[in-house]
Amino acid sequence: MIRRPPRSTLFPYPTLFRAVTIEARLSQCLLERAVESEVKATHAELATIIGTSREVVSRRVEALAKQGIIEADRGAVRILKPDALTLRAEQ
């Protein structure tokens, strides 16, 4: 029988990390990859980068677009309000 070490030794620093929302990860990703306020990437590529599904990214992009923070075109996302996107990245 294989014995596992106690949970505390497997991950001794749980307080160093916090749960980050998909919207925050997406916002941070867009800000990091923006060139002149534009990110050339598909929803599938963004999903792979932030570790989620394309469908989830599509819903979050649509929500941010409805709020006027970004504008989404085929294969590109334009950042209209970088300050608002930065606030979401920090959540």
Side-chain angles (χ1 to χ4, degrees), residues 24-84:
R25 292 193 331 234
L26 176 61
S27 299
Q28 184 65 37
C29 176
L30 292 173
L31 290 167
E32 288 174 357
R33 285 161 178 73
V35 176
E36 296 181 14
S37 296
E38 186 167 287
V39 178
K40 299 249 184 217
T42 65
H43 291 186
E45 291 168 341
L46 292 171
T48 300
I49 293 166
I50 66 171
T52 190
S53 68
R54 183 202 52 80
E55 293 83 1
V56 172
V57 168
S58 295
R59 286 195 299 264
R60 299 311 324 150
V61 165
E62 183 180 342
L64 291 170
K66 282 184 180 178
Q67 296 169 19
I69 297 171
I70 63 172
E71 184 179 272
D73 289 330
R74 184 172 286 250
V77 176
R78 209 166 353 297
I79 300 172
L80 303 175
K81 297 179 181 175
D83 293 338

